[in-house]
Amino acid sequence: MQHGAVSDPGMGRGQLEPADGDIVREQAVLFRLTDRLYRANGLGEIYDAALDAICDALGSSRASILRFDSHGVMSFVAWRSLSNEYREAVNGHTPWTRGEHDAEPIFVEDIRLSGESRQIIDTVLGEGIEALAFIPLATSRELIGKFMVYYPARHRFGDRERELALTIARQLGFAIERERAETSAMRLSALVESSDDAIIATDLDGIVTDWNSGAERLYGYGRKEMVGRPLMLLIPPDRQIEERQILVRIRNGEHVEHFETVRLRKDGSSIPISLTASPIADASGAIVGVSKIGRDISERLRAQEQRELLLREMDHRVKNLFTIARTIVNLSAPAAETPAALASTVSDRLGALARAHALTMLPSTGPSVHGATSLHALIAAILAPYRHGTDEQPRFAISGIDLPVPPAMITPLSLLLHEFATNAAKHGSLSAPAGSIEIACSDRDGKVSVQWREVGGPPPVATEDEGFGSRLIRAAANELGGVVRDWDPAGIVLEITIDSERFLV
């Protein structure tokens, strides 16, 4: 449609002042519109209220509301007394673009004189419409659509009608904007409330103003307990300067991204979190508060510690394997008559070492692919690389009771025995050509005892230093029951004690 009013000289120039009754009726229409828009629950009720007001105020039985869709097409969203064929034919027709500002209303008093294409004119006339008006709908920031009113005959739009149309358009635009804001706020509120992260808002003095369910779960305080109280309640005394520094940065409009720190729960326990803080601004852009998102990183830190422990264990084991390999070569060399014999002996013993190492890697849960492992077999597998000394005499002896070892016990017990053997090869009886180990297994007072006694080696040297191997022994022993060391001058004595019930699992 072309901009501006199209008028017919035969329709007259002037217009009488509205009668008092007309003014009262118009005011009543606008009052009902305002009241219904205020009470409306959703866009459907907003559109119904607006269409009623348009028809009542502008004296027509036909009207429509169109909005720009996500593709920028002006489409019908609500209407009165318009056929499907007509709506399909003119859908998308608009005198304005989506990005246009200060769009002016268009009043077409006779469609025949509008300057539109013959097709559009025939479509409008075919619907029984001869006059119509395009009234832009805008929010405070953008053009969002239009409403239209239709007349079956040529119609002169007076100043009063134009003012009423623009008043209704303004109220409808405000109502749509408010509904959109409320819908967005409700959606955001639902997202905040359902978030697993702790989302908190404070004023610029650090007083809590909002507290979501994630914060309740993370910190243990209910919403009513924290709103109105200082956030310092969550901050350890030695970290409270952090909060003051964050507030200073927020007042300067800065954001704090993924800052790792520690907070206190209601029960007094501490919890590591990743914290993000952002300024909250009002409609004028002034910073009035702080939004904080806290995420529990306990699991991540535990996984990181476990990963580091495994890497240290791998490093420790690899170094031990090299030490053991060197010991095997040194122990085998004096008895070897030829290089080929030495290579064969070393190869056999390294193979045994590989089998023993594989045994320590058996799963701690679930059935073993190797079947049941007995206590004696497990000990023998770990000590297989040291089976013979330089004079081909056995270097270890296993005696006493023999029990099946439950899958859950294989890894910690193998780890302990492997560490004992490694230490014996480095510093104990296995480091001497004639040294040996006596292992006695017994069951007394409801406990299974595995006593490891080294003989024929250098005198043991007690130390208070706890290296990684010692920590590994302690950790594995804690899973079984306990380990006691005796620094006997004849050779170190180690005793592992395990509850007998553990062997019944």
Side-chain angles (χ1 to χ4, degrees):
M1 301 296 175
Q2 298 205 354
H3 289 248
V6 178
S7 54
D8 185 337
M11 287 191 284
R13 289 290 181 185
Q15 188 168 4
L16 296 175
E17 291 292 324
D20 291 343
D22 292 334
I23 295 175
V24 171
R25 180 182 61 80
E26 293 166 0
Q27 290 177 343
V29 169
L30 293 177
F31 175 80
R32 284 197 302 273
L33 174 61
T34 302
D35 183 63
R36 290 180 65 185
L37 292 178
Y38 176 76
R39 298 174 184 274
N41 184 19
L43 285 174
E45 294 185 8
I46 289 174
Y47 294 152
D48 283 343
L51 288 173
D52 286 344
I54 293 167
C55 292
D56 290 345
L58 301 179
S60 175
S61 62
R62 290 178 161 188
S64 65
I65 299 172
L66 297 90
R67 297 275 304 277
F68 286 113
D69 63 19
S70 59
H71 302 291
V73 176
M74 187 81 82
S75 301
F76 286 89
V77 293
W79 56 88
R80 294 284 169 83
S81 303
L82 295 175
S83 67
N84 289 337
E85 293 76 14
Y86 175 76
R87 296 198 313 274
E88 290 177 2
V90 301
N91 194 66
H93 184 279
T94 174
W96 314 292
T97 61
R98 187 172 193 171
E100 191 167 339
H101 296 282
D102 302 322
E104 293 292 334
I106 299 172
F107 299 91
V108 180
E109 299 179 345
D110 187 342
I111 188 62
R112 301 174 187 84
L113 305 176
S114 64
E116 283 292 336
S117 68
R118 189 73 251 169
Q119 182 183 2
I120 288 291
I121 292 173
D122 289 345
T123 298
V124 174
L125 291 173
E127 187 70 6
I129 298 169
E130 294 191 15
L132 64 164
F134 297 72
I135 311 300
L137 296 176
T139 65
S140 59
R141 292 176 294 181
E142 61 182 349
L143 182 69
I144 60 172
K146 66 182 177 181
F147 82 70
M148 299 193 66
V149 59
Y150 312 91
Y151 296 90
R154 292 179 296 174
H155 183 82
R156 174 67 182 272
F157 293 91
D159 292 341
R160 190 72 184 172
E161 284 181 309
R162 296 173 185 240
E163 291 176 6
L164 278 170
L166 291 174
T167 299
I168 292 170
R170 281 193 292 270
Q171 292 201 46
L172 177 55
F174 292 155
I176 292 172
E177 183 174 33
R178 187 195 68 204
E179 170 65 20
R180 187 162 62 183
E182 289 178 352
T183 300
S184 296
M186 289 175 62
R187 186 180 298 114
L188 179 61
S189 178
L191 288 172
V192 168
E193 204 52 34
S194 63
S195 174
D196 289 333
D197 293 337
I199 302 177
I200 302 167
T202 73
D203 62 19
L204 292 178
D205 294 321
I207 303 301
V208 176
T209 57
D210 291 284
W211 185 268
N212 79 333
S213 298
E216 292 184 348
R217 292 189 293 270
L218 184 61
Y219 299 120
Y221 290 96
R223 181 180 285 103
K224 292 182 179 179
E225 292 180 278
M226 284 304 298
V227 171
R229 300 180 72 185
L231 193 63
M232 286 292 189
L233 286 172
L234 306 180
I235 304 175
D238 62 338
R239 291 180 177 265
Q240 294 197 355
I241 190 172
E242 290 178 359
E243 178 66 9
R244 289 188 285 271
Q245 291 172 340
I246 289 173
L247 289 176
V248 169
R249 293 179 61 180
I250 292 297
R251 289 189 184 100
N252 292 331
E254 297 181 44
H255 292 252
V256 178
E257 298 288 346
H258 306 299
F259 172 63
E260 293 191 4
T261 185
V262 176
R263 291 293 179 259
L264 296 176
R265 290 191 178 100
K266 183 179 179 179
D267 62 8
S269 62
S270 61
I271 181 168
I273 67 167
S274 173
L275 180 68
T276 298
S278 305
I280 299 174
D282 62 15
S284 68
I287 297 172
V288 295
V290 187
S291 169
K292 294 185 176 181
I293 301 176
R295 174 168 297 179
D296 183 358
I297 57 174
S298 301
E299 287 299 324
R300 194 195 79 195
L301 293 180
R302 277 193 289 269
Q304 182 177 324
E305 290 174 0
Q306 180 67 16
R307 187 165 56 250
E308 291 174 354
L309 176 64
L310 291 175
L311 288 174
R312 289 198 303 271
E313 180 180 344
M314 181 183 296
D315 177 69
H316 178 74
R317 282 183 172 230
V318 168
K319 290 177 179 177
N320 281 344
L321 289 173
F322 280 123
T323 299
I324 293 170
R326 185 173 63 249
T327 301
I328 289 173
V329 172
N330 290 338
L331 290 174
S332 303
E337 295 181 358
T338 65
L342 175 61
S344 176
T345 301
V346 170
S347 176
D348 290 343
R349 289 179 175 175
L350 287 177
L353 174 62
R355 291 191 296 274
H357 182 71
L359 191 58
T360 69
M361 295 292 103
L362 288 177
S364 59
T365 59
S368 169
V369 295
H370 298 285
T373 299
S374 73
L375 183 58
H376 285 203
L378 179 63
I379 298 170
I382 299 301
L383 291 174
Y386 317 98
R387 184 172 298 278
H388 299 290
T390 56
D391 56 358
E392 294 301 314
Q393 293 299 312
R395 306 207 68 192
F396 64 87
I398 306 170
S399 62
I401 63 168
D402 191 13
L403 299 171
V405 181
M409 198 186 297
I410 289 177
T411 294
L413 187 54
S414 297
L415 197 60
L416 275 175
L417 295 170
H418 181 78
E419 197 66 27
F420 293 171
T422 299
N423 290 338
K426 287 181 179 179
H427 316 293
S429 60
L430 296 183
S431 67
S436 64
I437 301 171
E438 299 172 354
I439 300 101
C441 304
S442 60
D443 186 355
R444 58 177 183 272
D445 299 326
K447 293 185 181 296
V448 172
S449 169
V450 179
Q451 187 183 76
W452 172 290
R453 179 183 295 276
E454 298 184 17
V455 294
V461 178
T463 176
E464 297 299 325
D465 295 336
E466 185 180 47
F468 181 79
S470 298
R471 292 197 298 273
L472 203 59
I473 289 174
R474 180 160 47 82
N478 287 339
E479 291 189 51
L480 298 172
V483 172
V484 176
R485 298 190 218 199
D486 181 8
W487 303 95
D488 190 303
I492 191 170
V493 179
L494 300 156
E495 185 173 15
I496 306 169
T497 56
I498 308 167
D499 289 336
S500 298
E501 296 178 355
R502 298 284 300 275
F503 285 88
L504 302 177
V505 178

